[in-house]
Amino acid sequence: MNQRIQLASVDDQRNAEARETVRRRISWPANLTPANVTYHSRGHALLIGTKADVHPAARALQGRGLASLTLLIAEPGADSLGSDTAAPLGANEPLVSQTLTSEQLSKLRINGYLGAFSVKLDDGDVPLDIARALIERDSFDLILDLAATTHAQRWELPPPGYVVMQWRDADQRSETLDNFAGLIGEFDKPRYFQVNSDLCAHSTSGNVGCTRCLDVCPADAISSVKGRIESHIEIDPYLCHGVGSCTSACPTGAIEFRLPETRRQQDTLSAWLGSYREAGGQVPVLRFITHDSQDAERAAGAAPAGHVIDAPLEELGAAGHDQWLTALAAGAAEVRIQLHPNMPARLSAFLTDQVAQAHALLEALGHDRARVKLIEIADEAARDALPALTPLTQAPLNLPEPEKRARLNRVLARLAELGAPSGERQAVPNGAAYGAIQVDSDACTLCHACVSNCPTPALKSGGKTPALSFLEADCVQCGLCEQACPENAITLMPGFLATEARETRHICHEEAAFECINCGKPFATVSTVATIKEKLVNHPYFAGEAMIRLEMCEDCRVKDVWKTMIRDPDAQLKV
């Protein structure tokens, strides 16, 4: 189960040969025909910064084929927006220069992407459109920010076409300017994701639930859009950098990464480990690493130890704790996540949180948390170290279910079989998609508003019997049931329940049915009828004998109204 490895018995050469066998037999999946988004840039460039930085940058960019150069020069002593009279630039292309105060610079509002940057100055009742005012265009195509201004700092990953640089960094200056000047023409980029709104747990009936994708996107490419009643998630494909953390954070699979799809990725991991074992490999370690980091290691002549099998990703966010646990359940001795330079802060925080979730689940299921770990940059010793424990299993793992949550539940069930579950509710990091609900039986009227708002099969009605049932394995703790309940009878209970009860549907609340006093048809619960009668006791429509209509089913209630109207046609006018 959790046996220690005898180091002398591990043959690195044999493992390396087994790894090569895996690579020859099974290719890492790739989306060969991804949908694309296209950027169109004519080369109208905006440069922002102090005169000491902007002028030499503009000189260096002249004659590079840009359609125009617009300079916004920040001068602390300037009084207002005005022309810059000192323009010692012999421009080969149209050049406009304007001076801004530091305060005005902080009020610039920049949105968009390569080929479509809107730049407005909020310095009055009506925002000033800088592109329209200075070059008579609707937008700029690309922006070079030399000032590290507040609007640049709002992005962890600036949109394509927005380049931030320090002019005094001579080592990076030439390459950055060359890349910037090359942003002219038509550019295609993969549409990294696919969204299935039917699975989304973000909003329903005007309530907002899950916001995990919004919280982790470092490019601010995801937004919550308010409709007439509900909000829905939208991802701007032009801003998306393909970090992938949104799809890993999504508990229902509503957002799926396409390079490759999560399911193909999981299936390949399992197939790789099976092939490695067949080829005689021992104690396999799955290392999740980006293509760029892998290429950099190869260029430097660094090769991981024979037992380390690399799973190459577009970005580390494309695999979360569900993928890592899949590898362990399929026979990996350990999972390592290789960090790389210049990671956005939100991606780093996301990976740390995912590791914490993996550790909590492993502990709850009776496994060593050291089976999942982050590897720091250039830490070759940690990368190549032999795992301290043997693999949990030698048996293959099959995941036939198409749904993300169902596949994860199968992985967790396998880990439970291979471990010694605690039998208790394990605390999990804030925001983790594990937990139960507590239903106040005294307050619940079984109106089933929670059922209609639940985005997963976690909550169900009792069919012919008035009841509310709950399956914890399907609950993603979105909170929509809690918000939808008109009686405030539901409370979320975060945590991972390490018992078989997690996968067993149970009754949260049930009542006897109230039968129609005319026909005997059950049409509501006793508490529902009592609550309605209490709330409508003073309503004129139900005054006197009319109150008994609340004890009738919908058909008998209509019949009784018509009988009253036949006896007294003016009865309705008296209400």
Side-chain angles (χ1 to χ4, degrees):
M1 186 185 301
N2 282 303
Q3 297 177 346
R4 296 286 168 179
I5 290 177
Q6 300 298 320
L7 300 184
S9 65
V10 178
D11 185 339
D12 189 68
Q13 181 60 34
R14 181 181 177 186
N15 286 341
E17 291 173 357
R19 182 177 62 193
E20 290 306 310
T21 299
V22 169
R23 289 174 176 169
R24 289 194 299 268
R25 288 182 183 176
I26 306 169
S27 298
W28 183 252
N31 189 348
L32 300 180
T33 57
N36 290 332
V37 294
T38 302
Y39 301 90
H40 301 274
S41 170
R42 295 180 179 274
H44 293 278
L46 174 68
L47 280 61
I48 307 172
T50 64
K51 183 186 297 185
D53 293 339
V54 168
H55 276 187
R59 290 191 189 95
L61 289 169
Q62 287 178 331
R64 300 281 194 102
L66 294 170
S68 68
L69 286 168
T70 301
L71 315 183
L72 287 184
I73 298 174
E75 291 297 338
D79 295 327
S80 61
L81 180 68
S83 297
D84 177 24
T85 55
L89 301 166
N92 297 317
E93 52 277 296
L95 185 146
V96 179
S97 180
Q98 290 287 347
T99 301
L100 299 181
T101 65
S102 298
E103 182 181 0
Q104 287 173 328
L105 188 67
S106 68
K107 293 180 179 179
L108 282 181
R109 182 157 44 90
I110 301 177
N111 294 292
Y113 44 84
L114 179 63
F117 279 109
S118 167
V119 182
K120 294 184 179 180
L121 176 61
D122 288 330
D123 195 28
D125 295 334
V126 180
L128 176 65
D129 189 322
I130 299 295
R132 177 55 55 189
L134 298 184
I135 61 173
E136 298 182 349
R137 290 181 57 81
D138 293 331
S139 62
F140 294 100
D141 292 307
L142 56 162
I143 297 176
L144 180 63
D145 190 336
L146 298 153
T149 49
T150 53
H151 51 269
Q153 294 169 2
R154 108 183 197 211
W155 294 300
E156 290 182 38
L157 286 179
Y162 192 104
V163 178
V164 180
M165 70 171 289
Q166 297 290 336
W167 180 253
R168 292 169 180 79
D169 186 354
D171 294 337
Q172 299 295 325
R173 184 188 303 165
S174 178
E175 181 180 357
T176 301
L177 291 178
D178 287 344
N179 292 337
F180 183 78
L183 294 175
I184 304 172
E186 187 173 288
F187 303 89
D188 289 334
K189 182 187 73 173
R191 186 182 291 264
Y192 295 105
F193 57 86
Q194 176 176 293
V195 180
N196 184 346
S197 297
D198 293 337
L199 298 177
C200 184
H202 175 59
S203 173
T204 185
S205 301
N207 297 313
V208 174
C210 178
T211 60
R212 294 178 177 95
C213 61
L214 292 165
D215 298 335
V216 301
C217 179
D220 293 325
I222 307 176
S223 58
S224 175
V225 179
K226 179 67 176 176
R228 291 184 60 189
I229 298 176
E230 298 181 5
S231 298
H232 64 277
I233 290 295
E234 283 190 1
I235 303 179
D236 189 332
Y238 292 94
L239 297 180
C240 176
H241 282 254
V243 171
S245 50
C246 58
T247 188
S248 295
C250 178
T252 64
I255 303 177
E256 185 175 35
F257 198 64
R258 303 293 291 169
L259 295 173
E261 296 96 331
T262 303
R263 284 170 289 182
R264 294 173 63 199
Q265 196 165 279
Q266 282 179 301
D267 292 340
T268 301
L269 293 176
S270 182
W272 270 7
L273 290 165
S275 180
Y276 180 83
R277 287 191 295 268
E278 290 176 6
Q282 300 170 285
V283 293
V285 169
L286 251 296
R287 182 174 66 143
F288 290 84
I289 183 172
T290 64
H291 289 289
D292 291 343
S293 295
Q294 194 176 46
D295 292 342
E297 283 190 355
R298 289 171 179 168
H307 62 277
V308 178
I309 305 173
D310 284 344
L313 304 172
E314 288 291 319
E315 249 301 351
L316 292 180
H321 74 276
D322 56 332
Q323 301 275 341
W324 308 338
L325 296 181
T326 296
L328 295 178
E334 194 174 293
V335 167
R336 296 170 186 169
I337 302 94
Q338 181 68 63
L339 303 180
H340 60 82
N342 304 317
M343 289 177 57
R346 265 185 281 187
L347 176 57
S348 297
F350 169 75
L351 291 174
T352 300
D353 177 74
Q354 289 290 297
V355 170
Q357 290 192 43
H359 287 170
L361 296 176
L362 287 172
E363 287 186 347
L365 296 172
H367 299 293
D368 196 318
R369 60 190 294 159
R371 289 189 183 272
V372 174
K373 60 183 64 174
L374 298 173
I375 303 299
E376 297 297 330
I377 301 167
D379 190 345
E380 294 185 6
R383 179 195 70 190
D384 294 337
L386 280 170
L389 300 168
T390 60
L392 294 171
T393 181
Q394 300 292 323
L397 175 66
N398 296 315
L399 301 172
E401 298 87 355
E403 300 85 7
K404 178 178 181 178
R405 188 70 175 195
R407 294 164 75 88
L408 174 58
N409 286 333
R410 184 176 288 273
V411 169
L412 294 173
R414 165 66 74 88
L415 292 174
E417 293 172 2
L418 298 170
S422 66
E424 300 176 352
R425 184 171 299 281
Q426 173 81 26
V428 293
N430 290 335
Y434 302 98
I437 61 170
Q438 184 174 358
V439 178
D440 185 346
S441 297
D442 294 332
C444 177
T445 61
L446 291 175
C447 68
H448 291 150
C450 55
V451 175
S452 62
N453 281 270
C454 182
T456 74
L459 284 169
K460 286 187 178 181
S461 60
K464 295 181 180 179
T465 303
L468 175 65
S469 68
F470 176 71
L471 179 61
E472 182 165 341
D474 286 339
C475 179
V476 298
Q477 294 286 288
C478 65
L480 289 173
C481 60
E482 186 179 44
Q483 295 184 61
C485 180
E487 310 299 339
N488 296 319
I490 296 178
T491 303
L492 296 182
M493 296 174 56
F496 180 79
L497 184 62
T499 72
E500 293 182 355
R502 180 178 177 273
E503 298 185 60
T504 304
R505 184 172 292 278
H506 69 276
I507 300 298
C508 297
H509 180 52
E510 61 182 338
E511 291 186 28
F514 190 96
E515 298 178 350
C516 175
I517 60 175
N518 278 0
C519 68
K521 170 186 172 182
F523 71 94
T525 65
V526 172
S527 63
T528 297
V529 173
T531 300
I532 293 175
K533 289 176 67 175
E534 181 182 351
K535 291 183 177 181
L536 298 179
V537 66
N538 295 319
H539 196 289
Y541 187 79
F542 296 101
E545 296 182 358
M547 177 61 72
I548 64 172
R549 289 180 187 151
L550 294 176
E551 299 179 354
M552 300 178 186
C553 68
E554 59 276 18
D555 295 331
C556 293
R557 194 177 306 127
V558 172
K559 292 176 183 178
D560 188 69
V561 170
W562 279 103
K563 288 178 181 178
T564 300
M565 291 180 64
I566 291 172
R567 292 194 306 267
D568 183 3
D570 296 330
Q572 298 295 311
L573 300 178
K574 299 174 184 177
V575 177

